[in-house]
Amino acid sequence: MDPRVRDHAEVLVDWSARIEAGDDVVLSVAEDTHELAVAVAEKLGERGANLVTTYASDEVSRAYLRAHDADFETADHELALYENADSVLFLRGGRNTFATADVPGERRQAADVAAQPVREARMDTDWVLTLHPTRSLAQQAGMAYEEYQEFVYDAVLRDWETLAEEMQQMKEILDDGSEVRLVKEDTDVTMSIENRVAVNSAASVAYDSHNLPSGEVFTAPADPEGEVFFDVPMTISGTRVRNVHLTFEDGEVTDFSAESGESALADVLDTDAGARRLGELGIGMNRGIDRFTDNILFDEKMGDTVHLAVGRAYGSNFPPGREDEANQSAVHVDMITDVSENSRIEVDGDVVQRDGVFRWEDGFE
Amino acid sequence: MDPRVRDHAEVLVDWSARIEAGDDVVLSVAEDTHELAVAVAEKLGERGANLVTTYASDEVSRAYLRAHDADFETADHELALYENADSVLFLRGGRNTFATADVPGERRQAADVAAQPVREARMDTDWVLTLHPTRSLAQQAGMAYEEYQEFVYDAVLRDWETLAEEMQQMKEILDDGSEVRLVKEDTDVTMSIENRVAVNSAASVAYDSHNLPSGEVFTAPADPEGEVFFDVPMTISGTRVRNVHLTFEDGEVTDFSAESGESALADVLDTDAGARRLGELGIGMNRGIDRFTDNILFDEKMGDTVHLAVGRAYGSNFPPGREDEANQSAVHVDMITDVSENSRIEVDGDVVQRDGVFRWEDGFE
């Protein structure tokens, strides 16, 4: 086994998920992530955790969803599994990023709505989502397999404690602020961050951070007004979506367009009422991720980008006891915009990043 | 997809597991059974069942068990999953039948004991175990891959209703009988079947039968006395075991030997007190299975064989309300003996099969 796979497992189990003896852990294994699953199981055994391994196969999901033409219901046994779990470790991977491309959007939506209690139970655990470099993900990234492995392990096998200290500065600005404004080409949007708690997403549940790799600071904005242009490519539910424009009025998406994949975007926005409100504002600060790979887990963490998500907000962005103010939705879909040039981020009127340079960095004007 | 895979899925979901709309189903997917999992998921979607898919990887289990040197405990989340499930469909397969060969027996035993409540919860569901023909199973059988596929589908894709009628005759003899005696080379053993219910194992939960393929009639014998020679090869927990002799006194194994694999046999017998008592007497009646393939799912169903299992008995072999008389154990290990020649099975002193011929068949003397 490539020693980086074992290193990845160790970061996941110890730094990210903080697994301890007796923890009830669900390990979710996507297609072609077997090798990482073996390495993670070894670490979980060492820590004395209790293990249930699930198979998260896109091809299994596709077959099930396409054949299922009755109403969907919440699966009691699945709910019971996650309600009794302490941690869920998602190993994403797969053999074809378009494996579910021919599942009708309304079918997927109906299943998502029925599964919402299950998703909520999962989010109440110390969950962590990571990714095993597979050939299909290399293909999505437009990279050779070994090149992509390098890219992934460079992003994952980092000095997370040092990065966490760097990101703390942005968290403090957002925690103290009331309003964020983002300005760039075709973009001028304001949103409220009053009474919100920014998360220093340092790839560990100890930081309320649930992605490995990570490297972003995010909060839950409200009442957006204005327009945004998302120029970073992405894939929504198996469909390529490019160059999205969103218009917000009175806190909701009132108009949208996309150069390609507009119907996938429409399916997302039509899921439920919360799907037209914002769930997240994230500022990418991981300059170890040096290129777009058409994968949100990496793209949204990249330095000099900002992302907004429509849909569900994270309870961790609210003061204790006020988590129920978080936007509710069956979906959470991130969209990214490049802020490396001709752009600025303002908090309460003060510019905190201009043309990709933070105000505490050399070169800020 | 090979159309036989879809046919297999249909027999499993409809004939064997009798899945209905709203059933909470766990689909357990072994390594290299992905294709069958996809076909089964499609059928489950058509039926409107709710699906959780688990990954039953021997390599994941090996890594976990070898690394886990603390005490094992029952996994609450796993228990909750199965306590809330209606059906569990096990797709056995794998890429190496010796994948767990270097897990110490006592480690496996300790894990098995801790997992007993989970196993009991699974057995309280409408569970069905079947097998996808993989290359490693073809290798175990000593067969080419396509040859093995033919073998498996010939055994699985049968007219199960007709076979069920044939087996009913043996069920009635066992239900009416009090004592079974088996006589052949190095074998003369008697056991009580008083107050037991024989199961006509016709590969359907509607017959209290949980294997696909099936084709055996089995009951839960008590108080064995005598000796038995098991001349059919087998694999216990990844170890080849050949030519087992067991001696029973006062209902328990008091002496044992094996030409090879004796320590694996010893590990089984030392698991707990119930591991030295009998859990099953089965009479193989599926003459569609025409050769030994070193796989208990097929071998024990083969015509002209008898098998005994040490360990756990099935509640279905007891009258309603008396299921708690069933032998309890963390293990259930079947051992098979050939009765095609120089042998007889007696029930209450009457010969019911001699030299492989049942008394209702032509050629019986």
Side-chain angles (χ1 to χ4, degrees), chain B residues 104-145:
Chain B
E106 61 271 24
R107 187 67 59 86
R108 194 192 326 266
Q109 273 174 38
D112 280 351
V113 169
Q116 191 159 348
V118 174
R119 242 183 345 267
E120 285 170 7
R122 276 201 294 245
M123 288 189 62
D124 281 344
T125 71
D126 283 342
W127 63 275
V128 180
L129 189 159
T130 193
L131 172 155
H132 186 59
T134 67
R135 286 175 175 79
S136 103
L137 292 170
Q139 177 174 326
Q140 183 181 38
M143 292 163 82
Y145 179 49

Side-chain angles (χ1 to χ4, degrees), chain B residues 242-259:
Chain B
R242 295 290 180 272
N243 291 337
V244 170
H245 282 90
L246 296 184
T247 303
F248 293 96
E249 294 174 48
D250 295 330
E252 297 196 355
V253 175
T254 54
D255 196 20
F256 65 92
S257 68
E259 212 173 274

Side-chain angles (χ1 to χ4, degrees), chain A residues 294-315:
Chain A
D294 199 12
N295 186 321
I296 195 66
L297 184 63
F298 292 83
D299 295 345
E300 69 173 10
K301 315 306 188 319
M302 188 170 171
D304 307 340
T305 67
V306 168
H307 58 278
L308 293 172
V310 292
R312 191 174 60 252
Y314 296 105

Side-chain angles (χ1 to χ4, degrees), chain A residues 25 34 49 53 55 59 64 77, chain B residues 25 34 49 53 55 59 64 77:
Chain A
V25 179
H34 175 82
T53 310
Y55 186 49
E59 292 186 351
Y64 175 76
H77 61 330
Chain B
V25 179
H34 174 80
T53 309
Y55 187 49
E59 291 186 353
Y64 176 77
H77 61 331

Side-chain angles (χ1 to χ4, degrees), chain A residues 29 31 34 53-57 60 95, chain B residues 26-38 40-41 44 51-58 60 82 88-94 130 132:
Chain A
V29 178
E31 290 170 36
H34 175 82
T53 310
T54 60
Y55 186 49
S57 157
V60 167
R95 293 184 284 191
Chain B
V26 177
L27 178 62
S28 168
V29 178
E31 290 169 36
D32 264 19
T33 65
H34 174 80
E35 198 173 24
L36 179 57
V38 169
V40 171
L44 293 174
L51 175 59
V52 169
T53 309
T54 61
Y55 187 49
S57 157
D58 286 339
V60 167
Y82 293 108
V88 183
L89 308 182
F90 297 94
L91 311 186
R92 292 284 171 82
T130 193
H132 186 59

Side-chain angles (χ1 to χ4, degrees), chain B residues 210-223:
Chain B
H210 298 271
N211 287 176
L212 176 67
S214 193
E216 60 165 322
V217 176
F218 68 87
T219 188
D223 305 322

